[in-house]
Amino acid sequence: MLMCISNLLTPEETARLRAIAGKAEFDAGTLTAGRNIHDRKNNLQISDNAAGRDDVDQIVLQALQRNALFQSVALPKSVHRPTLSIYKDGMTYGSHVDAAIMNGMRADVSITIFLKDPTSYDGGELTLVTGAGEQAIKLMPGDAVVYPTSAFHWVSPVTRGERLAAVTWAQSIIADADKRTVLHDLRMAIEQATRDTPDSETIHLLVKTHANLMRMWAEI
């Protein structure tokens, strides 16, 4: 499932990440690129020992933990250490699929959080190949897009300005993306039914069904 999440970060958190990026050291993105995509990845990523690196972790991970929509869509078991990526004029990341295993964690869900005003740079769209075709995404600062790590995707060349984003990945307790979609849709139906007819027998049946599907599918 592809899901855009508005205001994942507060304006203050977004500004803090931009400030960290403005002072931190960055490495060539090719340092973390697999050999099959080494020639496709042309960006910069925050250095592991850069000043403010731990603050990036805290800000992004806390935002994901408190966001109910992300929790429903991803059903995360664990989240990889976030990184900041910069694309300057001419930089791009060609079509690829993210690694299946990252530091011993299976990557099921990818998360990109946009950090700069989209009018401040040209290009830099994140394009994903989905069942509905290609979808190009370029969001407001603090907004995020969540999508299956298994999907082909790329970042279009930046032709003016600078694209800044926070990126991370999650292992879900539900490995199958279609099953995650079923559980999220059912959760949304429960919430709607609860607003319309609180404490009805239908709600209790939906909650039971959701719990039993989790019991059948979850990997703890």
Side-chain angles (χ1 to χ4, degrees):
M1 172 185 288
L2 186 158
M3 179 67 67
C4 293
I5 302 177
S6 298
N7 303 313
L8 178 75
L9 300 177
T10 66
E12 293 76 18
E13 290 169 334
T14 304
R16 176 60 180 149
L17 291 178
R18 285 198 298 261
I20 291 171
K23 298 179 180 179
E25 294 182 5
F26 280 73
D27 299 322
T30 51
L31 291 179
T32 58
R35 62 181 183 179
N36 292 329
I37 60 172
H38 194 271
D39 60 346
R40 300 186 183 190
K41 188 175 184 181
N42 180 19
N43 65 357
L44 301 172
Q45 293 178 179
I46 191 170
S47 303
D48 282 341
N49 298 320
R53 187 69 180 81
D54 290 341
D55 290 340
V56 174
D57 297 350
Q58 182 179 24
I59 291 168
V60 174
L61 294 177
Q62 285 183 353
L64 293 173
Q65 185 174 29
R66 71 174 180 246
N67 188 273
L69 182 54
F70 171 76
Q71 293 293 319
S72 178
V73 169
L75 294 169
K77 179 179 182 180
S78 57
V79 179
H80 193 276
R81 189 182 196 192
T83 188
L84 295 180
S85 68
I86 289 176
Y87 291 78
K88 296 179 181 291
D89 192 3
M91 290 186 173
T92 184
Y93 196 163
S95 180
H96 66 285
V97 172
D98 291 335
I101 306 297
M102 301 182 182
N103 294 335
M105 181 197 83
R106 187 187 67 232
D108 298 314
V109 178
S110 298
I111 305 102
T112 296
I113 308 168
F114 291 78
L115 298 174
K116 283 201 170 183
D117 188 324
T119 65
S120 70
Y121 62 99
D122 293 333
E125 295 85 0
L126 173 65
T127 301
L128 297 129
V129 179
T130 70
E134 295 180 3
Q135 298 190 45
I137 298 168
K138 189 174 181 180
L139 303 178
M140 295 297 293
D143 293 353
V145 58
V146 180
Y147 53 97
T149 304
S150 57
F152 276 113
H153 59 281
W154 59 88
V155 176
S156 299
V158 171
T159 59
R160 177 187 65 87
E162 181 180 281
R163 178 191 194 266
L164 174 66
V167 181
T168 191
W169 302 266
Q171 177 174 338
S172 178
I173 60 173
I174 308 294
D176 187 278
D178 290 336
K179 291 176 180 177
R180 289 198 301 271
T181 299
V182 168
L183 288 165
H184 173 68
D185 289 347
L186 186 53
R187 172 58 61 190
M188 295 301 100
I190 291 169
E191 292 186 4
Q192 184 61 54
T194 302
R195 288 191 291 268
D196 295 341
T197 54
D199 202 34
S200 72
E201 289 301 319
T202 299
I203 294 172
H204 294 310
L205 182 59
L206 289 172
V207 170
K208 173 188 173 184
T209 302
H210 186 277
N212 285 337
L213 288 175
M214 287 286 291
R215 209 180 328 273
M216 290 169 59
W217 295 341
E219 301 173 6
I220 304 299

